[in-house]
Structures are given as C-alpha cells and as structure tokens.
Amino acid sequence: MQRVTDRQRAQLWTGWGLQLCLIFFCHTQQLEASASIDRIQKHNLELLTQQLNRGWRAFCDAPVDEGVMALFEGINPSDARLHVMTITNQSVQLPIKSMPELRDFDINPQRKTLIYVNAFHTADSYFSVQEHLTLLQTTRRDLNVIVVDFATHVAQLYYTVRHHLSVHGYSIYKLLSALTDAGIAAQDITLAGHSVGANIAALGADLYAKGSKQQVGQLIAIDPATMCRTTDILVRQAVAGRVVVLHGEGDVFGVRVPLGHVDIYPNGIGYFPRKKLQPGCDSKICSHMYPFVLFMEALIEGVMIPATKCENWGKFRQGDCSFENTLNIGLIYPSNAKGLYFCMTQPNPPFTYMEHGLRYQIRRPEISNALKA
C-alpha cells in the first residue's frame, strides 16, 4: 500500500480548496445575478405603474426590460384565470384551459349568463376590482356569472395589451363555444368588460359570431381602452345583438366617440375632449374607473342610475331632450334604445341622484326664458 507523501497531500488540499472556491464563487455570482434580476424587475413594475397613470401611449412605450419580465411567472396567456361558482356559493379559481370543466360547476341553462372580462389593473384600493367582482358573483345568484381575469397585476396587463390581445380574444371565443355546447343559449349571454377587457370581449364575440354564425345577445363595453394601436379598438355594433358602451374618461384611457347601439355618457365626461373629470375624481385614471364602479353598483346593490336620450350633452344640460326615452345602467335595456344617452351622478355611493328625488323632465319655456334674463 502506497503512502501519501506530504507533497501529494498538499496538492490534494490545494485542489479541494480550488474546487470549494469555485463553488463559492459560482454561488455568489448566482446570488448577485438573482438580486440584479429582482432589482430590474422591481424597476419594471414601478415604471409600468408610473406610466399607466399617464395613459395607454405612455404605458405601451414604457422602456421596460421584457427579457427580465419573461423570467417571472404570471405573464403567459395560460396564466389567465376563470372564476366560477359552486352550488355551495363559493367562488373557485381555475386555469383558463379548464373551460371544458365548466359544466361541472353551477352553470344553469335556465339562467341568463354574464361573462365579465377583466383586463385592467389599478393599485388604487378604492376601486378594488377583484373585490367588486367577487361580490358580483356571490350576490347575483340569479345569473351564471363567470369572471375571466387577464390582469391580476400590472405586468400581466402590459403583456395583455402589448402582445396577447388576439390570444385572449380567442380564449373568450372558446369559452363562448364551451358554454353554448353545455346548453347555454347564445342570445342569453351578456359579455361585459372594462377598458382593455372591453376590446378582448368584443374580439371574442366577433370570432364567435363568425365561427358559429350566431351572435351573443349583448356586449357591455365599459370605457373601452384606446389601446397601443387604434386598430386594437375592437368594440363595434356588428359583434353582438346589442352593444352598449358606458363611457368614462374619453381622452388618454377611454374611447370618446360613440361605438355601440347605445352610448351612455355619465356627467358628459368623455363626450367633449376637454371635459373635466368624473365627480369625486382627481385623476384621469379615476375617471376611467368611474363607470366600472357605476356598473358594479347597479348590478350588486340594485341601484337605479337613469340615463336619458338626447342629441348632445349641451341640450341635456338645457333640458332640451325627450325625456320619455330613459333607461337604467345595468344589464337590461329597452329593445328600442338607440343613440346617445346622458345622466348625472354623484361622487360617492350610491352615485344615483334618485335618492334625492331627481327626475329628468323637459325644462319649461318660462323657466328657460327667466334664466336667460
């Protein structure tokens, strides 16, 4: 048996030491690289949040590092989520690919169906989008309410608006097909979406109409986003049996021009390009969120927010309208409703002025003349 010499022993210790140093060096480099990636991603998210407050153009052009963003979970189209109800009144979250399993949940063909497409994210807790949508599901058990979430955080919203619009629209098309295959009548389906979600819902409805040769009953587009490209504004009358647009901001976030069979302008905001902010708002992003809250208030609390048909906002303010043609914000609209509608709302819940006895009526000539004098 050979004996290890002192020289050989020293060489072994040197080799082991070099290996340990190399392992330690590599581990340190990995930790530093990981920390660097985390710092870049933190900057990405801060930048996106900051730029979103300035509008879609700034948000879409934000100089983020997409290479680093792609390393994190939650930005792939498959990361979208469905929220459905069980018979025990529990909201369950499913991957978007679980559409064939919907028939195993509390989906009743005898009910009307509401599919809400969420594709907007705000850090402002006042609006609490997810909380509103959960309340919508648990309180409106007279409906099949399915929530599709494409923007659980700001990075997912960025990829939705920049890269995944077509894929998400196709997902809505597949969802509509799965529901009609389960016995839900297309005319009993209302698609609703706010901001980017309005355009995704419109695309899904359009693909479904072309693929099945039938339309969904209704699309409610809540302040449809102006998007990164104007070609991505997809809300139009042809995509559903009835298209209702609830405007809100009409500048850097929402579309100003009429797009639907019915276009509702609360407080006239968004009708004129230089009109002020919605009641109680101190930012454009607040005005963009405002019609979402009106819609939720109408559906969850049953608040009646009436709007009346008028040629324009100026004539509405003057009382120069036919106030016989009036509707309420919500899911049900008169079959003959068509054109521009305007309403007045308050800064805070319940938003409606009806609790104060407000009634829209034609201004009497003598009152009008007295005001002019």
Side-chain angles (χ1 to χ4, degrees):
M1 183 175 179
Q2 294 182 335
R3 299 182 63 182
V4 178
T5 66
D6 291 342
R7 182 177 181 181
Q8 289 174 325
R9 188 178 293 108
Q11 288 176 339
L12 286 173
W13 278 110
T14 301
W16 291 339
L18 287 173
Q19 289 180 8
L20 288 172
C21 287
L22 183 61
I23 292 171
F24 177 78
F25 176 76
C26 291
H27 182 63
T28 302
Q29 289 292 99
Q30 288 175 345
L31 289 176
E32 290 178 355
S34 177
S36 177
I37 288 171
D38 288 339
R39 282 196 300 270
I40 294 172
Q41 180 66 353
K42 181 181 178 181
H43 176 71
N44 284 337
L45 299 181
E46 290 174 349
L47 185 61
L48 286 175
T49 301
Q50 181 185 56
Q51 296 298 90
L52 180 59
N53 288 321
R54 298 175 56 195
W56 291 119
R57 186 181 296 273
F59 184 72
C60 295
D61 293 340
V64 294
D65 189 330
E66 290 195 10
V68 169
M69 290 179 70
L71 300 175
F72 290 81
E73 295 181 357
I75 61 170
N76 293 320
S78 59
D79 292 323
R81 292 291 181 263
L82 295 170
H83 298 264
V84 295
M85 295 299 294
T86 67
I87 58 174
T88 57
N89 205 34
Q90 299 294 316
S91 180
V92 177
Q93 179 178 283
L94 303 171
I96 192 74
K97 63 182 179 180
S98 300
M99 294 178 197
E101 301 174 21
L102 286 177
R103 63 178 67 234
D104 298 331
F105 290 86
D106 190 21
I107 305 295
N108 188 342
Q110 302 303 315
R111 303 180 193 140
K112 302 287 186 181
T113 296
L114 171 62
I115 301 172
Y116 187 88
V117 181
N118 179 52
F120 190 75
H121 175 82
T122 175
D124 192 338
S125 59
Y126 173 78
F127 297 107
S128 54
V129 174
Q130 268 68 33
E131 183 178 339
H132 274 98
L133 295 177
T134 300
L135 282 172
L136 175 63
Q137 283 192 300
T138 55
T139 56
R140 291 304 301 266
R141 301 299 285 129
D142 57 314
L143 303 169
N144 300 315
V145 180
I146 301 170
V147 174
V148 190
D149 199 346
F150 294 122
T152 55
H153 49 76
V154 72
Q156 191 177 34
L157 172 61
Y158 175 82
Y159 272 80
T160 292
V161 73
R162 281 295 304 269
H163 304 298
H164 298 157
L165 188 68
S166 297
V167 178
H168 291 334
Y170 183 74
S171 294
I172 298 301
Y173 158 66
K174 296 297 290 183
L175 175 58
L176 290 169
S177 299
L179 289 172
T180 51
D181 289 346
I184 304 292
Q187 63 267 25
D188 289 338
I189 297 176
T190 291
L191 270 169
H194 168 248
S195 190
V196 180
N199 290 306
I200 294 174
L203 177 57
D206 191 36
L207 292 173
Y208 178 78
K210 292 174 179 175
S212 66
K213 308 304 179 185
Q214 59 178 336
Q215 293 180 320
V216 296
Q218 186 170 239
L219 168 68
I220 299 177
I222 305 169
D223 210 25
T226 51
M227 307 296 286
C228 301
R229 301 173 294 271
T230 55
T231 52
D232 289 339
I233 302 172
L234 303 171
V235 177
R236 58 185 188 276
Q237 293 183 11
V239 302
R242 178 190 294 112
V243 176
V244 178
V245 181
L246 183 57
H247 295 268
E249 186 263 346
D251 189 9
V252 297
F253 287 103
V255 176
R256 179 170 59 89
V257 298
L259 299 173
H261 299 98
V262 173
D263 283 80
I264 306 172
Y265 292 88
N267 307 295
I269 311 299
Y271 183 75
F272 293 112
R274 293 190 297 273
K275 197 72 173 70
K276 296 180 181 179
L277 302 173
Q278 291 287 358
C281 284
D282 58 3
S283 66
K284 290 182 180 294
I285 199 169
C286 172
S287 287
H288 186 47
M289 288 299 304
Y290 188 84
F292 164 79
V293 181
L294 292 184
F295 185 67
M296 290 294 115
E297 192 78 9
L299 266 60
I300 296 171
E301 302 295 339
V303 173
M304 295 179 65
I305 305 174
T308 193
K309 184 174 182 178
C310 208
E311 186 177 335
N312 56 55
W313 172 248
K315 289 194 173 184
F316 174 81
R317 291 287 293 169
Q318 295 169 6
D320 187 11
C321 308
S322 175
F323 290 98
E324 296 175 357
N325 195 334
T326 300
L327 51 77
N328 288 301
I329 292 173
L331 292 178
I332 301 173
Y333 295 90
S335 58
N336 64 341
K338 190 174 180 64
L340 305 182
Y341 288 75
F342 300 91
C343 64
M344 301 280 291
T345 57
Q346 300 188 97
N348 300 305
F351 298 105
T352 181
Y353 274 109
M354 288 192 69
E355 63 174 4
H356 301 300
L358 173 72
R359 296 292 184 274
Y360 297 132
Q361 60 185 11
I362 298 174
R363 178 173 293 182
R364 292 179 297 173
E366 60 272 19
I367 297 178
S368 180
N369 292 333
L371 289 174
K372 289 180 181 178

